[in-house]
Amino acid sequence: IVGVANLTRTLTNKGASTVTYSASASLAGFAVTISPASLTLAPGASASYTVTLRRQTAPIEQWVFGHVTWSSSGEALRS
């Protein structure tokens, strides 16, 4: 990525109760924004979110790896 990239992903609540997740992200050399930054999902519900990546210091034409973490009380989901 030379400039900015947007990725759309989906999060699904596989549990038996409503849960609110808050997002955080890490990708070396990039500014990462998650929108929306929190999601409240009923049991079985899904919602989409957008990850925006803005290259800052990451080398061009080299792989870098990062993750998005969705946290709620007592659990964290990482992708």
Side-chain angles (χ1 to χ4, degrees):
I1 300 170
V2 175
V4 177
N6 292 306
L7 310 168
T8 301
R9 310 290 290 169
T10 302
L11 183 66
T12 301
N13 179 2
K14 301 282 187 175
S17 59
T18 298
V19 65
T20 298
Y21 293 105
S22 297
S24 62
S26 175
L27 182 60
F30 287 84
V32 182
T33 306
I34 310 294
S35 180
S38 68
L39 293 170
T40 299
L41 300 172
S46 298
S48 294
Y49 62 95
T50 301
V51 180
T52 300
L53 308 171
R54 287 184 174 79
R55 186 185 156 284
Q56 294 182 324
T57 60
I60 295 175
E61 296 185 13
Q62 289 186 15
W63 287 92
V64 283
F65 296 90
H67 62 270
V68 172
T69 302
W70 289 93
S71 302
S72 67
S73 56
E75 70 177 332
L77 308 172
R78 188 169 163 175
S79 64

